[in-house]
C-alpha cells in the first residue's frame, strides 16, 4: 500500500492541528420558503461539550432551550451540557425519551410537544438534541414542526450521528409501515461534535459508525481512504486521528449536502452500500446487524458488483473490503436467496422503471449512479465472491 504522504496530511488537517479545533460550514442556497441564510457551522473539538452554551450564544441563540436526550446519554452528559448552557445564561429544561429505535415515533414526538407546550416554549426557544441518531432525528423533527419551526442544534454522541445523521437536515420518525417515512428536511443552526463522548460508546456501536466513515473515502476522497488505512489501529483506539476523521467525513457530507440539499441528484451518492444494506436489514428483521454493519456488507457488495460489471478493478474492491474488515466490520452475508434479495430491493426507493439503482465504484474516491438490470443482478448474486 502507498504510504500516506505527510504533505497531504499537513494540507488537509493543518487547520485542525494549529487551532485544535475545526469548523466546517454547510453552505445552503437561499430558499423562497425559508428566508435568510440557512448555512450553519459544524464544530469538532475534544471537550466541546463544556462550551456549547457559549457557542450557542455566539450563534445568536439564547433564552429558553429544551435538551432532548434519553436516560442513558442523559446520565452521562446532561449535567455538563446543562452547566454549560446555564453558565452562558441560557435557561434549559431536559426532556427525556426512552432509549431505542422503537421509540422514534410520532407518539414520542407528541409527548415532547406536550411538554414544550406545558413549559410555554415559544418560537425563539431552541431545541438541543443530545444523543445518537435516534434522538437527533426525532428532536430535529420536533424542531421542524413545533410552532411551525423553531431553531435547533445537534450535539451528536455516537460516531454515526457525528459523521452522518446530525449533518444534512434529514429529520423524522418511523411509521409502522417503514423506517423514516415521516419527516422533513430541516437544517440545524449548528452542530457541536465532541469526539471525547465516544469513549463511553459501546465498541460495536463505534465500529458500526466507522463503516460510514469509510464510505466517505470511497465516494469522494481517495487520500482520506488512505489516511484511514494508515491509521486503522489509532482510529480504533480513539487517538487524535478520530477527530481528523470526523472532520473530514463531515466536510465531505457538508459539501455534498450543499450541492444537493434535498437529494435530487448528487446527494444520493451518500447511499453507497445502502441498497444492498437496507435489503439485508429488512430481511434479517433489523436485529442481526447494526445499520453501519449492514452498510458495510452493502458497500463490499456494491464494490464487487462494480467489478462484476467491469466498472472497477480488483484492487479497489480488495482495499475496500480489507479496510472494512480491518475495522472489524462484516463484508459478506450468505443466506439470502437472489430472488428474495431482488424482491426486497425492488421496494427500495432507488428503483426506476424495473431497474435497480445503485451507487457503484469506479475507483476509490469516485462513484457513479447506475441502473442495473435485474437479470445481471441475479447473475451477480448467484455467483461466488471472487475474493
Ligand atoms: N438523519 C439522517 O440523515 C440519518 C442518517 C443515518 C442514520 N439516521 C438514523 O440514525 C439512527 C441510528 O442512530 P445511532 O446509530 O446513533 O443509534 P442510537 O441513537 O440508537 O444510539 C445507539 C445507542 O448508543 C447509546 N449512546 C449514544 N451516545 C452514547 C455515548 N456517547 N455513550 C454511550 N452510549 C451512547 C444510545 O443510548 C443508544 O442506546 C436511526 O434511526 C437512523 O434512521 C439518520
Amino acid at each position: 500500500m502507498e504510504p500516506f504522504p505527510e504533505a497531504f496530511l499537513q494540507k488537509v488537517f493543518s487547520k485542525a492541528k494549529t487551532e485544535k479545533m475545526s469548523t466546517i460550514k454547510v453552505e445552503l442556497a437561499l430558499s423562497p420558503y425559508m428566508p435568510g441564510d440557512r448555512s450553519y457551522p459544524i464544530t469538532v473539538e475534544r471537550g466541546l461539550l463544556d462550551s456549547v452554551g457559549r457557542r450557542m450564544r455566539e450563534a445568536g441563540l439564547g433564552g429558553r432551550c429544551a435538551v432532548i436526550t434519553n436516560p442513558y446519554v442523559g446520565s452521562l452528559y446532561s449535567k455538563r451540557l446543562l452547566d454549560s448552557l446555564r453558565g452562558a445564561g441560557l435557561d434549559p429544561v431536559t426532556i427525556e425519551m426512552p432509549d431505542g429505535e422503537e421509540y422514534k415515533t410520532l407518539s414520542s414526538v407528541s409527548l415532547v410537544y406536550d411538554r414544550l407546550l406545558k413549559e410555554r416554549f415559544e418560537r425563539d426557544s431552541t431545541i438541543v438534541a443530545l444523543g445518537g441518531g435516534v434522538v437527533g432525528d426525532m428532536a430535529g423533527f420536533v424542531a421542524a414542526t413545533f410552532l411551525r419551526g423553531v431553531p435547533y442544534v445537534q450535539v451528536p454522541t455516537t460516531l454515526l450521528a457525528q459523521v452522518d445523521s446530525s449533518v444534512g437536515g434529514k429529520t423524522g420518525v418511523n411509521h409502522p409501515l417503514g423506517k423514516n417515512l415521516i419527516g422533513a428536511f430541516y437544517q440545524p443552526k449548528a452542530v457541536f461534535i465532541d469526539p471525547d463522548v465516544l469513549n463511553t460508546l459501546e465498541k460495536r456501536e463505534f465500529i458500526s459508525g466507522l463503516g460510514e466513515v469509510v464510505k466517505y473515502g470511497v465516494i469522494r476522497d481517495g487520500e482520506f481512504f488512505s489516511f484511514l488505512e494508515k491509521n486503522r489501529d489509532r482510529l480504533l483506539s480513539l487517538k487524535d486521528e478520530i477527530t481528523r476523521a470526523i472532520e473530514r467525513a463531515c466536510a465531505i457530507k457538508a459539501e455534498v449536502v450543499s450541492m444537493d440539499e434535498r437529494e435530487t441528484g448528487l446527494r444520493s451518492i451518500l447511499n453507497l452500500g445502502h441498497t444492498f444494506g437496507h435489503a439485508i436489514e429488512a430481511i434479517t428483521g433489523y436485529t442481526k446487524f447494526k445499520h453501519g454493519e449492514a452498510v458495510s456488507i452493502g458497500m463490499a457488495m456494491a464494490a464487487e458488483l462494480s467489478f462484476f460489471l467491469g466498472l472497477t478493478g480488483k484492487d479497489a474492491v480488495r482495499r475496500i473490503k480489507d479496510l472494512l474488515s480491518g475495522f472489524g466490520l462484516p463484508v459478506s452475508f450468505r443466506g439470502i436467496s437472489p430472488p428474495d434479495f431482488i424482491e426486497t430491493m425492488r421496494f427500495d426507493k432507488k428503483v426506476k422503471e424495473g431497474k435497480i439503482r445503485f451507487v457503484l465504484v469506479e475507483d476509490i474516491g469516485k462513484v457513479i449512479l447506475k441502473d442495473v438490470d435485474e437479470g445481471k443482478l441475479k447473475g451477480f448474486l448467484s455467483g461466488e465472491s471472487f475474493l
Side-chain angles (χ1 to χ4, degrees):
M1 186 195 310
E2 281 283 297
F4 197 75
E6 186 57 27
F8 171 76
L9 268 180
Q10 292 290 344
K11 191 177 78 190
V12 173
F13 299 120
S14 58
K15 194 165 178 225
K17 275 185 176 171
T18 51
E19 296 175 14
K20 275 212 220 131
M21 172 198 110
S22 154
T23 300
I24 298 143
K25 195 151 185 221
V26 184
E27 306 274 3
L28 295 168
L30 293 176
S31 156
Y33 308 106
M34 286 178 253
D37 182 9
R38 296 172 304 119
S39 303
Y40 57 93
I42 306 164
T43 309
V44 188
E45 186 185 343
R46 284 191 183 266
L48 182 71
L49 203 55
D50 299 311
S51 59
V52 169
R54 171 174 62 77
R55 290 168 197 275
M56 279 178 61
R57 280 266 179 222
E58 287 166 4
L61 302 166
R64 306 200 69 199
C65 56
V67 175
I68 301 183
T69 188
N70 71 39
Y72 184 53
V73 176
S75 71
L76 294 167
Y77 299 113
S78 268
K79 186 178 177 317
R80 276 176 63 198
L81 180 60
L82 292 172
D83 285 351
S84 156
L85 296 172
R86 290 194 184 105
L90 285 96
D91 176 17
V93 299
T94 305
I95 303 178
E96 285 186 346
M97 60 178 282
D99 192 355
E101 182 73 37
E102 64 273 35
Y103 298 103
K104 201 177 106 175
T105 59
L106 279 175
S107 317
S108 301
V109 167
S110 190
L111 291 173
V112 178
Y113 293 150
D114 292 350
R115 181 77 190 281
L116 292 172
L117 290 168
K118 267 190 207 138
E119 300 273 354
R120 298 190 180 281
F121 269 68
E122 294 178 1
R123 288 193 76 176
D124 58 353
S125 311
T126 305
I127 303 287
V128 181
L130 173 69
V134 166
V135 165
D137 278 14
M138 200 208 66
F141 185 66
V142 167
T145 48
F146 182 71
L147 302 179
R148 298 193 181 87
V150 296
Y152 80 112
V153 301
Q154 292 274 11
V155 186
T157 62
T158 62
L159 182 57
L160 178 121
Q162 295 184 340
V163 298
D164 192 0
S165 61
S166 67
V167 177
K170 278 191 185 176
T171 73
V173 293
N174 301 327
H175 184 275
L177 292 181
K179 282 190 68 179
N180 297 322
L181 293 179
I182 314 296
F185 283 99
Y186 191 65
Q187 303 290 343
K189 293 288 178 204
V191 181
F192 300 111
I193 299 177
D194 183 346
D196 280 348
V197 301
L198 300 178
N199 284 311
T200 53
L201 193 62
E202 260 185 34
K203 194 83 184 163
R204 191 172 165 202
E205 291 287 354
F206 173 68
I207 288 174
S208 173
L210 284 172
E212 295 287 349
V213 175
V214 171
K215 182 188 79 180
Y216 291 108
V218 179
I219 62 173
R220 210 125 174 106
D221 189 343
E223 290 176 325
F224 179 52
F225 189 93
S226 304
F227 167 81
L228 299 175
E229 287 177 322
K230 183 173 179 242
N231 291 290
R232 191 191 69 188
D233 293 340
R234 292 182 63 79
L235 289 160
L236 280 169
S237 48
L238 283 167
K239 295 280 193 300
D240 277 349
E241 284 75 4
I242 194 67
T243 304
R244 299 178 186 177
I246 294 168
E247 283 163 4
R248 188 65 197 130
C250 286
I252 294 170
K253 179 142 190 195
E255 182 197 23
V256 172
V257 168
S258 297
M259 287 192 268
D260 178 19
E261 185 180 351
R262 288 178 171 249
E263 200 169 315
T264 53
L266 179 74
R267 187 167 174 164
S268 47
I269 67 169
L270 297 170
N271 292 326
L272 173 68
H274 285 63
T275 304
F276 286 124
H278 282 160
I280 292 168
E281 281 181 296
I283 291 170
T284 56
Y286 296 95
T287 47
K288 187 170 176 60
F289 296 109
K290 296 205 174 287
H291 178 68
E293 295 169 344
V295 168
S296 172
I297 299 171
M299 255 191 294
M301 290 181 74
E304 290 208 353
L305 176 61
S306 311
F307 176 76
F308 180 84
L309 297 172
L311 298 169
T312 196
K314 265 190 186 186
D315 185 53
V317 185
R318 195 182 301 276
R319 281 178 71 198
I320 291 168
K321 291 180 77 171
D322 283 354
L323 181 57
L324 292 167
S325 49
F327 278 138
L329 284 159
V331 289
S332 65
F333 178 61
R334 303 268 167 250
I336 302 177
S337 72
D340 280 356
F341 228 133
I342 290 174
E343 191 56 31
T344 311
M345 286 190 291
R346 273 206 198 108
F347 284 100
D348 199 85
K349 50 185 179 294
K350 289 170 279 294
V351 177
K352 280 208 174 142
E353 290 158 17
K355 293 187 170 187
I356 300 184
R357 175 157 290 191
F358 286 90
V359 184
L360 295 175
V361 181
E362 285 192 332
D363 200 352
I364 289 179
K366 190 159 186 282
V367 290
I368 50 161
L369 284 175
K370 200 168 167 55
D371 295 332
V372 180
D373 184 81
E374 284 190 11
K376 279 204 175 122
L377 200 54
K378 203 165 173 193
F380 166 71
L381 289 169
S382 308
E384 284 296 305
S385 160
F386 70 88
L387 288 175

